[in-house]
Amino acid sequence: MMPELRVLYFEDLSVGLSETLSKTIATSDVVGFAEITGDRNPIHLSEHFAARTPFGTRIAHGLYTAGLISAVLGTRLPGPGAVYISQSLNFRAPVRIGDTVDVTVEVAELVPERRRARLTCTCSVNGETVLDGEALVKVPTKAESDPLAARKG
């Protein structure tokens, strides 16, 4: 799931512009996330333990799912050069290994004087929202990114 890079500058954005990424969650994703974060909660790693929880099976880390939002922001909308300012997250339902998560990011508001974009973020599995929230990002202008290109028009 390495999304192709797309660079959008602040002037390329408009309210309603959106991007979606899909990722099927593998055991290796969950184990890898546990390794890099140190979050070894057995609900994520032990089928035996997870079977005794209300979920009945292992689930992905909530912040792994949230990290898929970062993949959209950093690679597609707005893309390389965007800087996270803040992110709110509401965890609505579990994500299980084997689930395909559809991550949609949509421009909700633009703040030109600060070059900020407020983005709604939704992660869903089979049409059910599993996570939602908002991100605020700083987006470079074309002139900031390449002053010579901006002068050429």
Side-chain angles (χ1 to χ4, degrees):
M1 174 213 80
M2 293 296 283
E4 183 179 328
L5 295 179
R6 176 177 74 175
V7 178
L8 295 174
Y9 300 105
F10 188 83
E11 51 269 53
D12 298 325
L13 301 180
S14 60
V15 172
L17 182 65
S18 68
E19 182 71 29
T20 299
L21 169 143
S22 295
K23 169 77 171 107
T24 300
I25 307 306
T27 294
S28 59
D29 297 323
V30 175
V31 171
F33 191 84
E35 288 176 358
I36 63 172
T37 64
D39 181 350
R40 297 180 304 125
N41 183 333
I43 200 163
H44 307 302
L45 302 173
S46 168
E47 196 62 56
H48 177 73
F49 179 90
R52 297 175 302 177
T53 70
F55 305 119
T57 189
R58 292 169 55 206
I59 60 172
H61 300 76
L63 286 179
Y64 175 77
T65 304
L68 299 175
I69 295 169
S70 181
V72 175
L73 299 180
T75 64
R76 304 289 299 157
L77 179 62
V83 176
Y84 248 125
I85 303 295
S86 65
Q87 175 79 57
S88 67
L89 300 170
N90 304 297
F91 299 95
R92 307 287 184 190
V95 173
R96 292 172 173 80
I97 294 167
D99 283 349
T100 297
V101 179
D102 298 311
V103 182
T104 301
V105 172
E106 182 176 336
V107 177
E109 178 185 14
L110 296 170
V111 183
E113 61 276 7
R114 303 211 55 211
R115 295 176 324 283
R116 305 283 198 268
R118 186 172 57 83
L119 307 156
T120 58
C121 307
T122 306
C123 299
S124 61
V125 173
N126 295 323
E128 177 188 4
T129 299
V130 296
L131 184 155
D132 61 18
E134 286 189 346
L136 184 66
V137 296
K138 181 177 181 181
V139 184
T141 64
K142 186 174 251 182
E144 289 172 323
S145 298
D146 188 354
L148 292 177
R151 278 191 236 143
K152 293 176 186 174

